[in-house]
Amino acid sequence: MHLKDSSYPYARQTSASRSNARSSFLERARRNVAAQVLFPHPLSWWRTRRPENFKEVDIYIARHLLTKSAIIGEPHWHLGAAGNGPIAINVAWRANKRCGASLVSVDVAMTAVLCIALEGNVEAKLFLAAILQQRSDVDHTCGALSDSWLDFTPPWA
């Protein structure tokens, strides 16, 4: 029995049906449709999510991600990522101050500060609010986020 003659659902496609499938795929791919990202990457949470939208499990998710990252030129980074507030704030301050620093290194450093702020550290909340306020010139949503950190008290702390 030949494949063409069978009722087997995965029989070979003819060149015409392949051509139709390909053109249909290309039409869908060329359409300009808006994409909505519902779950931003944990490294961008500090500049995209309001503090009241966090849950305690988010701290563990972010910390797990931080254990797999490093910031070049910061030998004590692992202490800040583990929860040492002063080290995390100093590393984030240097990352924000550095000219030409990539947004990834700033995101990594600020995620450590975010975790500490979510644990209730007042200095980390103030630093996070200050950096968000500085960023509000570039990203207008950061201004509103900055204000929300000033009076936030985590319910689990």
Side-chain angles (χ1 to χ4, degrees), residues 3-21:
L3 240 106
K4 286 184 179 178
D5 299 336
S6 73
S7 61
Y8 186 67
Y10 300 107
R12 287 188 188 174
Q13 294 179 339
T14 64
S15 63
S17 65
R18 276 193 305 254
S19 175
N20 288 341

Side-chain angles (χ1 to χ4, degrees), residues 65-91:
L65 189 66
L66 291 175
T67 61
K68 306 205 178 296
S69 63
I71 298 177
I72 296 172
E74 294 290 348
H76 301 293
W77 159 245
H78 64 283
L79 296 173
N84 185 315
I87 290 177
I89 290 171
N90 282 324
V91 168

Side-chain angles (χ1 to χ4, degrees), residues 9-131:
Y10 300 107
R12 287 188 188 174
Q13 294 179 339
T14 64
S15 63
S17 65
R18 276 193 305 254
S19 175
N20 288 341
R22 181 172 170 81
S23 65
S24 172
F25 170 76
L26 290 174
E27 285 176 24
R28 288 192 315 265
R30 288 184 182 128
R31 272 190 237 141
N32 188 7
V33 294
Q36 182 180 11
V37 178
L38 299 176
F39 300 102
H41 195 277
L43 290 179
S44 68
W45 283 351
W46 72 275
R47 56 184 163 84
T48 58
R49 289 177 64 182
R50 297 184 59 79
E52 60 270 7
N53 294 340
F54 284 99
K55 297 178 181 158
E56 189 174 11
V57 71
D58 293 332
I59 299 170
Y60 299 110
I61 292 169
R63 282 263 161 81
H64 178 73
L65 189 66
L66 291 175
T67 61
K68 306 205 178 296
S69 63
I71 298 177
I72 296 172
E74 294 290 348
H76 301 293
W77 159 245
H78 64 283
L79 296 173
N84 185 315
I87 290 177
I89 290 171
N90 282 324
V91 168
W93 179 72
R94 285 191 295 273
N96 277 293
K97 188 178 167 186
R98 199 171 300 136
C99 290
S102 71
L103 186 57
V104 174
S105 63
V106 172
D107 279 347
V108 169
M110 290 303 295
T111 298
V113 175
L114 170 72
C115 292
I116 296 166
L118 288 173
E119 292 169 342
N121 185 301
V122 176
E123 292 85 7
K125 289 192 297 186
L126 290 174
F127 181 78
L128 192 56
I131 296 299

